[in-house]
């Protein structure tokens, strides 16, 4: 069978999304391609975002390929599945443009965070035939061989009715994720270096060492995918690193939910330390590290580390179920030490009633005086895949979950304006998606 995996050309005008707007490596599609090829299928992967392609240009390629399945994500790479844009405007428009009027209409398949938490709404909004909930990598090949009711996380339309497979959702055995084949991926066009704010020569790329997180913080949008912690084989990750370095990559950002959890990450860092022309970045928790760990990160040429501190009080961290083992004093001490080994150290805060604004300011001033960048406390978006959604609305997400969360978030700012990281005026979700109906 033929599978086309298309990363659309993303745009976020009017969105609440404030993540990176540069192309990042579509790891979910590259990983799925490996599973599909292993199962004997023919795969065409098109990164329209990186290549700046239009729907007309992609459609020409698809008509020449004649795919049986057209697969599209609803967020820009696994990296942003945890904090995606609420709207489905881009997948809506692209699926319609790539399928309308074609002689051979493929089965259209949506993957990503929206379908994982609200599959029926996602089917209806995008017009897709199938939604795969959870991680799709190893389940996509089953669409060609297995009844849909037997595919974990599969939701589909049949004679106008929505059908759902039983639980569980898609979860990948990470030991089966071999090193990704970048040989026909245009990595030379990938100039973006994620979370780097000073010039670094060479190309950037993203990789994953592990998926999931053993913690259950209330704000994290991961309960429907990438939830259980799993590591890849170090040798497979190192093979990817070497393949990318041979193509000119000098900086790698690990997209792991929490980099540093497993014991094998130390082995990986020792391997990276042997490659002096490579630098790395990642997001982590401060309480996974100590001074010796930061010394190792320094030897492994870590140049960017982002830590979710969330609250400056134990009460605030407990309210968000952080389960942090360090006191605020120890957190502060370690952030300052980390800055002596890592050029960019960032501490992120979330707005909580437990934190006194004057004490927050003092915390920020002390860390900034020692070179650590500290965010302003920002309100949480109650993503439908997060525990925060259930706490906020008192129910599991339904087909209006994204609209409800979006309205709630906009109302938080109705009187006082948006936060410093929200650099554009968001517009209501129905209005964002209405142009595609």
């Amino acid at each position: 069978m033929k599978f086309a995996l298309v990363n659309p050309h993303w745009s976020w005008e009017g969105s609440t999304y404030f993540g990176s707007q540069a192309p990042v490596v579509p790891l979910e599609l590259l990983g799925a391609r490996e599973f599909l090829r292993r199962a004997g299928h023919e795969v065409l992967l098109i990164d329209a975002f990186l290549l700046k392609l239009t729907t007309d240009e992609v459609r020409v390629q698809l008509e020449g390929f004649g795919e049986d399945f057209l697969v599209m994500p609803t967020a820009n790479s696994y990296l942003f599945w945890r904090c995606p844009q609420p709207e489905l405007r881009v997948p809506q428009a692209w699926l319609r443009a790539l399928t309308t009027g074609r002689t051979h209409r493929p089965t259209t398949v949506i993957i990503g965070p929206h379908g994982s938490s609200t599959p029926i709404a996602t089917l209806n909004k995008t017009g897709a035939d199938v939604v795969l909930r959870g991680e799709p990598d190893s389940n996509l090949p089953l669409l060609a061989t297995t009844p849909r009711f037997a595919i974990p996380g599969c939701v589909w339309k049949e004679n106008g009715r929505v059908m759902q497979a039983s639980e569980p959702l898609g979860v990948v055995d990470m030991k089966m994720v071999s090193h990704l084949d970048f040989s026909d991926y245009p990595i030379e066009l990938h100039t973006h270096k994620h979370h780097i704010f000073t010039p670094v020569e060479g190309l950037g790329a993203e990789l994953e060492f592990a998926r999931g997180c053993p913690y259950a913080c209330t704000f994290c949008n991961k309960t429907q995918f990438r939830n259980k912690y799993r590591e890849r084989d170090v040798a497979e990750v190192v093979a990817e690193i070497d393949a990318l370095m041979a193509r000119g990559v000098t900086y790698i950002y690990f997209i792991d939910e929490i980099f540093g959890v497993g014991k094998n990450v130390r082995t990986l860092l020792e391997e990276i330390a042997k490659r002096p022309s490579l630098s790395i970045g990642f997001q982590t928790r401060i309480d996974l590290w100590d001074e010796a760990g930061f010394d190792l990160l320094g030897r492994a040429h870590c140049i960017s580390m982002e830590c979710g501190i969330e609250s400056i009080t134990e009460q605030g961290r407990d309210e968000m179920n952080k389960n942090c083992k360090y006191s605020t004093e120890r957190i502060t001490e370690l952030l300052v030490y980390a800055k002596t080994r890592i050029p960019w150290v960032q501490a992120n805060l979330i707005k909580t009633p437990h934190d006194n604004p004057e004490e927050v300011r003092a915390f920020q001033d002390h860390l900034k005086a020692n070179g650590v960048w500290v965010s302003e406390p920002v309100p949480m978006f109650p993503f439908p895949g997060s525990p925060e959604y259930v706490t906020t609305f008192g129910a599991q997400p339904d087909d209006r979950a994204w609209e409800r969360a979006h309205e709630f978030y906009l109302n938080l700012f109705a009187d006082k304006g948006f936060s410093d990281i929200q650099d554009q005026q968001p517009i209501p979700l129905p209005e964002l998606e209405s142009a595609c109906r």
Side-chain angles (χ1 to χ4, degrees):
M1 303 288 274
K2 292 183 176 182
F3 284 76
L5 313 179
V6 176
N7 188 32
H9 194 153
W10 296 98
S11 63
W12 296 277
E13 296 87 359
S15 179
T16 58
Y17 172 84
F18 50 71
S20 172
Q21 300 200 4
V24 293
V25 177
L27 293 172
E28 71 283 359
L29 300 185
L30 285 161
R33 185 173 68 172
E34 296 305 312
F35 280 93
L36 288 164
R37 284 175 170 174
R38 220 176 293 162
H41 300 295
E42 191 174 348
V43 186
L44 173 65
L45 192 157
I46 303 174
D47 189 344
F49 195 24
L50 180 66
L51 296 171
K52 299 181 173 59
L53 299 178
T54 66
T55 52
D56 287 344
E57 291 167 325
V58 172
R59 181 169 170 137
V60 168
Q61 291 190 50
L62 295 179
E63 288 177 339
F65 181 62
E67 79 278 18
D68 300 293
F69 295 92
L70 170 58
V71 182
M72 190 174 293
T74 61
N76 175 26
S77 145
Y78 262 146
L79 176 57
F80 298 107
W81 281 32
R82 300 192 297 277
C83 51
Q85 79 292 340
E87 71 276 8
L88 287 170
R89 175 183 54 193
V90 171
Q92 286 173 316
W94 273 69
L95 271 189
R96 181 174 300 173
L98 297 182
T99 57
T100 300
R102 287 181 62 180
T103 304
H104 170 68
R105 187 187 183 281
T107 299
T108 51
V109 183
I110 284 288
I111 61 174
H114 301 77
S116 294
S117 56
T118 56
I120 298 174
T122 302
L123 275 178
N124 291 333
K125 286 182 178 182
T126 62
D129 301 309
V130 177
V131 161
L132 286 183
R133 304 179 68 199
E135 299 164 22
D137 318 35
S138 56
N139 283 343
L140 278 168
L142 300 180
L143 288 170
T145 59
T146 306
R148 288 175 184 169
F149 65 81
I151 301 175
C154 189
V155 183
W156 70 101
K157 284 187 176 178
E158 190 171 293
N159 298 322
R161 296 177 55 202
V162 175
M163 313 291 284
Q164 297 195 49
S166 59
E167 303 285 348
L169 308 185
V171 179
V172 173
D173 177 356
M174 294 301 286
K175 298 300 182 186
M176 298 297 293
V177 181
S178 57
H179 68 273
L180 301 181
D181 179 11
F182 289 95
S183 61
D184 57 354
Y185 183 79
I187 200 70
E188 285 75 12
L189 299 177
H190 198 283
T191 55
H192 172 64
K193 300 176 185 68
H194 192 67
H195 220 72
I196 291 295
F197 307 102
T198 55
V200 174
E201 291 191 1
L203 303 172
E206 295 80 35
L207 290 184
E208 62 177 347
F209 172 61
R211 287 186 194 175
C213 173
Y215 298 92
C217 303
T218 59
F219 51 84
C220 193
N221 183 39
K222 69 173 180 65
T223 57
Q224 308 290 343
F225 46 83
R226 302 177 66 91
N227 198 15
K228 179 184 176 184
Y229 183 78
R230 294 145 288 154
E231 289 181 344
R232 298 176 65 195
D233 284 335
V234 172
E236 299 292 343
V237 180
V238 171
E240 277 178 20
I241 290 173
D242 288 339
L244 289 169
M245 291 181 68
R247 301 272 296 277
V249 170
T250 59
Y251 173 76
I252 286 175
Y253 184 87
F254 286 96
I255 71 160
D256 305 24
E257 278 74 13
I258 297 292
F259 186 83
V261 171
K263 59 183 179 183
N264 290 327
V265 75
R266 266 62 178 177
T267 305
L268 175 66
L269 290 171
E270 293 290 359
E271 285 295 326
I272 293 172
K274 299 173 186 173
R275 292 158 173 79
S277 60
L278 180 72
S279 57
I280 63 170
F282 54 82
Q283 187 176 55
T284 188
R285 289 171 60 109
I286 193 71
D287 59 345
L288 296 176
W289 304 93
D290 55 17
E291 285 81 354
F294 291 128
D295 291 345
L296 173 57
L297 288 173
R299 295 200 304 277
H301 328 114
C302 176
I303 60 173
S304 177
M305 183 181 77
E306 186 180 5
C307 295
I309 305 302
E310 327 309 356
S311 170
I312 65 167
T313 62
E314 292 185 21
Q315 295 92 332
R317 293 191 291 273
D318 287 346
E319 185 182 67
M320 289 180 259
N321 201 29
K322 282 285 290 185
N323 196 23
C324 180
K325 65 182 181 183
Y326 288 157
S327 66
T328 302
E329 181 181 15
R330 178 62 173 156
I331 289 171
T332 304
E333 183 179 70
L334 284 174
L335 287 169
V336 172
Y337 186 88
K339 184 64 178 69
T340 66
R341 298 292 185 269
I342 302 169
W344 179 266
V345 176
Q346 177 172 332
N348 294 332
L349 298 177
I350 290 175
K351 199 171 188 59
T352 167
H354 295 282
D355 290 359
N356 180 294
E358 292 183 1
E359 293 175 358
V360 169
R361 182 59 58 198
F363 177 82
Q364 292 172 315
D365 290 345
H366 174 68
L367 287 173
K368 289 178 180 178
N370 286 277
V372 178
W373 192 90
V374 189
S375 77
E376 292 298 322
V378 296
M380 293 180 285
F381 187 101
F383 286 102
S386 70
E388 184 68 19
Y389 179 91
V390 178
T391 302
T392 302
F393 302 110
Q396 295 295 324
D398 59 13
D399 291 347
R400 278 204 78 252
W402 289 96
E403 284 78 3
R404 187 176 297 108
H406 196 267
E407 291 165 3
F408 175 85
Y409 185 74
L410 294 192
N411 286 335
L412 287 176
F413 299 99
D415 299 326
K416 51 192 175 187
F418 289 92
S419 65
D420 58 342
I421 57 175
Q422 190 78 61
D423 58 2
Q424 62 177 331
Q425 175 67 44
I427 60 179
L429 185 53
E431 188 177 334
L432 273 173
E433 295 178 334
S434 64
C436 300
R437 291 174 186 158

